[in-house]
Amino acid sequence: MNTRLHIGLTTATPGWQLLLDQIGVDWSVCTTNDLSPERYSAVIVSSRLSSANRAAVLDYTRLGGALIDCANILSRPTNRAYTRTLFPEPSDPLFGDIPLIDIYGIISTDRRSPLLHGLVSIEEQGTGIAARLGLNIDRLMTDTRSRRKQFYAPSGMFPNETVALVSKGTVRILLTRLLKEVHFRRGLPFVHRRFFPVDMPNVFCFRIDSD
C-alpha cells in the first residue's frame, strides 16, 4: 500500500498551525481511530494524551510510522531547565550547521542524545522511528517579547537592533530538519510547498533604517 505524504498533529494550537503553515507541509489534526503508517507519513504529538490515545500513537509508531514527541509520551528521563540561548555544536551530526537559538524559556533535554545538547533524540520503535523534541513550540511561536540584540559582523563592531526575543526562524529550521530526517528514515521523501513565488530561484529583501 502506498504511503500518503501527510502529517498528523494531535492538537492544533495557534503556534503549531503557524509553524506548519510556514514550513508548507500538508497536515491536519489526526484522530487516533484512523492512525496508520500508510495514512500519516509522520505524527506530531503536541500535547498530553489520554492513556488510550497514547497507546494508539505508540502502536502507529511501532508498526512503521514516524513520531515527533513534544509531550514526552515516550516517558524518557529528561532534565528541565531554563535556557536563554542554545548553541549547536559543529560536531552535531544533524543540527551542527543551524544558527544559535534564542529560547528564553524552559526546555527538556535527554543527556544521552548528542543532538542539540539532548534537546532532540531519535530512536527506533519497532519498525518505526520515534523522535523527541523538548520545546514548547506553541509558546515559542506565539511569543511577542522583544529586546535589543547584538549581531555578528566581520568588522567586530557588532551592530545591534531591537528584534524578537525568540529565534522563531531557527525554530522553523529545526523542525523542518527533524521532519525531513524522520521521513528519510522511513524511506520517504519530504515534501513541502515552494518557499519562493512561481519559478523564482530566490527572493531579495531589503529595508531602509529611518533613524
Side-chain angles (χ1 to χ4, degrees):
M1 183 181 295
N2 293 330
T3 299
R4 189 172 66 144
L5 299 177
H6 184 82
I7 295 168
L9 181 69
T10 57
T11 304
T13 58
W16 272 107
Q17 293 180 58
L18 176 64
L19 183 54
L20 292 176
D21 286 344
Q22 285 181 355
I23 295 173
V25 291
D26 185 36
W27 70 276
S28 66
V29 176
C30 60
T31 58
T32 54
N33 59 6
D34 67 350
L35 280 183
S36 72
E38 294 76 29
R39 185 175 179 83
Y40 295 100
S41 54
V43 168
I44 300 171
V45 176
S46 53
S47 61
R48 293 182 178 180
L49 301 177
S50 67
S51 296
N53 288 343
R54 175 180 179 272
V57 171
L58 294 179
D59 283 344
Y60 154 85
T61 308
R62 295 188 190 102
L63 291 173
L67 166 67
I68 295 181
D69 176 18
C70 297
N72 200 23
I73 68 165
L74 295 170
S75 301
R76 297 294 180 262
T78 58
N79 300 298
R80 289 174 54 84
Y82 178 86
T83 299
R84 175 177 170 176
T85 303
L86 202 62
F87 297 89
E89 294 285 352
S91 59
D92 188 317
L94 189 57
F95 304 103
D97 61 334
I98 72 172
L100 60 84
I101 313 172
D102 283 330
I103 296 172
Y104 290 89
I106 301 294
I107 67 172
S108 66
T109 57
D110 180 351
R111 292 180 180 176
R112 301 170 300 173
S113 173
L115 303 176
L116 277 180
H117 306 282
L119 182 72
V120 177
S121 61
I122 305 175
E123 62 188 63
E124 294 182 357
Q125 286 277 315
T127 58
I129 298 297
R132 193 197 65 83
L133 175 60
L135 290 178
N136 185 332
I137 293 293
D138 191 55
R139 186 194 68 78
L140 293 175
M141 294 304 296
T142 57
D143 192 294
T144 59
R145 294 174 293 171
S146 62
R147 69 172 296 167
R148 187 168 290 276
K149 295 181 184 178
Q150 289 186 324
F151 296 89
Y152 172 79
S155 65
M157 298 182 68
F158 301 114
N160 62 81
E161 189 69 69
T162 299
V163 295
L165 185 67
V166 173
S167 303
K168 299 175 185 177
T170 312
V171 171
R172 176 180 55 79
I173 294 172
L174 165 59
L175 185 65
T176 302
R177 187 75 57 86
L178 186 55
L179 281 168
K180 184 184 297 184
E181 180 68 14
V182 298
H183 276 78
F184 286 179
R185 292 201 186 194
R186 282 199 64 186
L188 298 173
F190 175 65
V191 178
H192 60 81
R193 288 193 298 273
R194 182 173 170 80
F195 293 136
F196 307 127
V198 195
D199 58 351
M200 300 298 177
N202 53 38
V203 174
F204 172 72
C205 300
F206 74 98
R207 73 174 201 173
I208 300 175
D209 261 335
S210 59
D211 56 355

